[in-house]
Amino acid sequence: MKYNIKNICCIGAGYVGGPTMAVFAKHCPDIQINVVDLNKERIEKWNSKDLNDLPIYEPGLDQIIVKCRGKNLDFSTDVESKISQADMIFISVNTPTKSKGIGAGKASDLKWIDASARQISKHAKPNTIVVEKSTLPVRTASTIKQILDAPDRDMVNKNFMILSNPEFLSEGSAIQNLENPDRVLIGGNEAEPIKALINIYLRWIDEKKILTTDLWSSELSKLIANAFLAQRISSINSISALCEKTGANINEVAIAVGTDKRIGNSFLNAGPGFGGSCFKKDISSLVYICNYYGLEETALYWEKVLNINLWQSKRITEIIVKNLFGTISGKKLGILGFAFKANTNDTRESPAISICSDLIEEGAILKIYDPKVKQEKISKDLKEKIKNNIGIQNEWIFSNSIEDAAKDTDAIIILTEWEEFKYINWEELSKIMRKPTWIFDTRSITDIEKAKNYGFNVWSVGNGSII
Ligand code: NAD
Ligand code: UGA
């Protein structure tokens, strides 16, 4: 059958659902886009008149919201009725790692997917196209289809069609990625629903960039894309340690290696380890799937990417303690950056959480500054991480600026690559810190020679050539 899409519903108004549907609304003024969520507070923020109050910070998002909200873009908690009006429904709910039960710590928790499928099955009209936007274990579409097709009390067969359309956006550049993606991937087994979704994307994306596959290849490709990206980071981080031992410099190695077109120069920045809500959970899910299918060697290979990531943050803590004369007990340390990367206020799985909690457990008093992360968020993250959190409030101090974080400390530790940390006035900081002063730069953004001129000792990730 031919589909005429006039009404879209997206279940889940998070980091993916919100920005993605905003861009859809901008390019499809003739389609009504309804974004729904169970989280009332989140929906209120999406509807806030004050654009600084939107639940997600993404450059360019506020302008699109102003343009489309109240016209063809709507945010509400009215899940059932918006589902019932839709010709096409995107499922964009969270798929975190299971915290308990079978597969705890590895498998994806699909309870929100299951619940969404049941809501759709009950309330959607016949012939609705259901699109998986969330990142899912391969073959989840089969589970969704079984729930969708289970006959209701009236024994009506609603003839749902299912597609996979994973999202590849990165936080901090979401709008840019959605406006001009490297590719759009659509997986499906029926030509007409695929055509209906292609026709939506064709309004702003070149058809050469739209790839179509079967359902399973599409679902799996999303997990594998994240696994390959994370693997590059673990590869460069593992070599950063070798550079430090041998006198080589990881930045120079990355340029020399990445200049080979077959290798490419993206995603070769050594750092404190990858964070963010997806890399760890998606590789864990991949490892679980491989074990499920009896592919132990494949599982072990990808598990190593996670192990190296953890090892990188642990070895950085050890380097800090060792250089500060083997003890940081009672010493004040200035922490610059808490977000998992620059240009976001997101701290999910940020390496800063584990490094800071390890330093606190060693007895240090941290002074933490991040341009976008709020005090309450840092407090919550650290409390959750440190099991025995008695007295935690006294072991870190929220700072409002670089200078504030540096005052009276023995060392500055750079954990996020915010622009303002690239141009620190080391002369000023040297006057307000306790001697001997140290810089531990996990992002390799410091002008080392300048800092050394003002008496700083410097450790920079992967740089074995600092004398
Ligand atoms: P999120 O936690 O920010 O948002 C998910 C939202 O879904 C929440 O607000 C939650 O309340 C809502 N929800 C859950 N069940 C619901 C239901 N039954 N009805 C209505 N609302 C419901 O998650 P996110 O970061 O947007 O990620 C969503 C999916 O996209 C995940 O599978 C993730 O792996 C994937 N993904 C995320 C990113 C990213 O950058 N964050 C990028 C690509 C893909
Ligand atoms: C990542 C992918 O890049 C997106 O394509 C994907 O859609 C998304 O995950 C997802 O599925 O959620 P994101 O986590 O937002 O996006 O951010 P990235 O830019 O990939 O950074 C992830 C982590 O790796 C950050 O902690 C970052 O600092 C670190 N990183 C990145 C490095 O340490 N070195 C690099 O060279 C690049």
Side-chain angles (χ1 to χ4, degrees):
M1 76 169 265
K2 296 250 180 287
Y3 294 88
N4 182 16
I5 308 299
K6 287 281 153 220
N7 187 303
I8 287 177
C9 173
C10 174
I11 308 179
Y15 283 86
V16 170
T20 307
M21 289 301 126
V23 172
F24 270 45
K26 177 182 158 191
H27 292 287
C28 310
D30 56 322
I31 300 180
Q32 174 61 35
I33 313 258
N34 298 318
V35 188
V36 294
D37 204 297
L38 298 171
N39 185 334
K40 201 165 159 261
E41 198 189 327
R42 210 168 206 183
I43 290 296
E44 274 166 10
K45 288 189 168 179
W46 279 114
N47 286 322
S48 170
K49 284 207 179 81
D50 179 359
L51 293 175
N52 290 320
D53 207 25
L54 293 179
I56 287 157
Y57 168 70
E58 279 295 340
L61 176 63
D62 50 356
Q63 284 109 289
I64 306 180
I65 296 293
V66 166
K67 195 169 168 231
C68 303
R69 198 176 55 188
K71 291 189 183 125
N72 66 327
L73 178 64
D74 179 89
F75 294 93
S76 81
T77 51
D78 205 357
V79 183
E80 294 176 5
S81 101
K82 300 299 184 196
I83 284 178
S84 71
Q85 296 161 21
D87 305 309
M88 181 178 270
I89 299 174
F90 286 81
I91 303 179
S92 190
V93 300
N94 35 325
T95 51
T97 305
K98 273 183 89 175
S99 58
K100 52 185 180 197
I102 300 164
K106 287 215 163 66
S108 297
D109 192 340
L110 296 179
K111 71 176 174 218
W112 292 276
I113 294 288
D114 187 298
S116 302
R118 285 173 200 280
Q119 285 166 311
I120 296 170
S121 171
K122 194 164 173 202
H123 302 288
K125 49 188 192 192
N127 302 314
T128 303
I129 300 172
V130 177
V131 187
E132 297 173 337
K133 197 57 158 159
S134 299
T135 303
L136 297 167
V138 55
R139 300 191 76 85
T140 302
S142 150
T143 312
I144 295 178
K145 186 94 174 90
Q146 285 176 55
I147 295 173
L148 291 178
D149 287 349
D152 63 12
R153 271 194 225 113
D154 306 326
M155 299 301 279
V156 180
N157 179 358
K158 291 190 177 172
N159 192 31
F160 291 110
M161 288 294 151
I162 185 152
L163 298 176
S164 158
N165 174 220
E167 185 46 61
F168 296 99
L169 66 81
S170 283
E171 285 177 34
S173 56
I175 300 301
Q176 203 184 315
N177 298 151
L178 289 162
E179 290 280 7
N180 189 18
D182 285 351
R183 80 301 208 185
V184 165
L185 179 58
I186 300 175
N189 299 336
E190 312 277 341
E192 287 303 324
I194 294 177
K195 216 189 268 175
L197 186 52
I198 289 178
N199 281 338
I200 292 174
Y201 281 111
L202 277 180
R203 292 161 186 245
W204 75 102
I205 288 162
D206 191 324
E207 64 176 326
K208 287 196 211 92
K209 285 188 173 178
I210 302 177
L211 311 179
T212 55
T213 65
D214 61 79
L215 273 170
W216 315 140
S217 304
S218 172
E219 289 178 329
L220 187 58
S221 297
K222 169 64 197 178
L223 277 192
I224 303 309
N226 274 0
F228 273 47
L229 288 168
Q231 178 207 42
R232 279 175 79 91
I233 302 170
S234 280
S235 297
I236 202 78
N237 284 343
S238 72
I239 302 304
S240 72
L242 186 58
C243 288
E244 289 160 28
K245 297 275 185 210
T246 56
N249 181 333
I250 195 67
N251 297 329
E252 290 175 8
V253 172
I255 292 169
V257 172
T259 311
D260 185 328
K261 282 203 193 78
R262 293 169 303 173
I263 297 171
N265 56 13
S266 308
F267 259 67
L268 287 180
N269 294 321
F274 54 77
S277 62
C278 293
F279 282 172
K280 186 174 161 201
K281 91 163 163 71
D282 290 347
I283 298 181
S284 300
S285 168
L286 178 62
V287 168
Y288 184 79
I289 293 167
C290 292
N291 278 324
Y292 174 84
Y293 286 106
L295 299 169
E296 204 179 306
E297 289 305 316
T298 316
L300 282 172
Y301 176 79
W302 289 105
E303 203 157 25
K304 198 71 193 165
V305 172
L306 292 176
N307 296 345
I308 290 283
N309 200 49
L310 186 63
W311 170 77
Q312 180 78 345
S313 66
K314 292 279 174 208
R315 86 177 183 89
I316 286 174
T317 306
E318 281 168 21
I319 285 168
I320 294 170
V321 176
K322 193 169 149 236
N323 280 302
L324 295 177
F325 311 105
T327 175
I328 54 171
S329 183
K331 290 180 181 170
K332 288 189 186 137
L333 308 177
I335 303 290
L336 299 186
F338 203 80
F340 81 96
K341 65 183 213 180
N343 299 322
T344 177
N345 58 354
D346 195 346
T347 62
R348 291 181 288 180
E349 299 293 339
S350 176
I353 300 173
S354 46
I355 292 176
C356 287
S357 63
D358 285 350
L359 294 172
I360 289 173
E361 283 189 337
E362 284 289 326
I365 300 157
L366 305 184
K367 299 180 79 187
I368 306 178
Y369 167 64
D370 186 288
K372 284 270 179 228
V373 184
K374 302 215 166 94
Q375 181 168 3
E376 309 80 70
K377 185 76 188 104
I378 299 176
S379 179
K380 188 166 172 279
D381 286 342
L382 288 178
K383 269 190 189 161
E384 268 167 23
K385 185 75 186 173
I386 299 180
K387 284 181 203 93
N388 179 9
N389 60 17
I390 303 161
I392 175 103
Q393 291 295 356
N394 300 327
E395 284 148 350
W396 75 277
I397 299 160
F398 183 73
S399 301
N400 284 312
S401 65
I402 296 173
E403 294 70 29
D404 190 13
K407 192 152 187 330
D408 299 329
T409 60
D410 290 13
I412 286 289
I413 303 164
I414 300 175
L415 295 181
T416 313
E417 72 286 21
W418 285 102
E419 199 60 19
E420 64 182 275
F421 301 161
K422 294 179 185 165
Y423 309 102
I424 292 176
N425 186 336
W426 294 113
E427 184 180 7
E428 288 307 312
L429 293 201
S430 71
K431 293 178 194 157
I432 57 173
M433 290 173 66
R434 192 170 84 147
K435 309 278 179 312
T437 44
W438 270 90
I439 298 166
F440 297 95
D441 179 2
T442 71
R443 296 285 185 169
S444 189
I445 55 173
T446 300
D447 184 334
I448 296 172
E449 285 316 309
K450 230 183 213 173
K452 279 168 67 180
N453 280 342
Y454 296 107
F456 282 93
N457 299 294
V458 184
W459 175 88
S460 181
V461 66
N463 192 334
S465 63
I466 306 174
I467 305 154

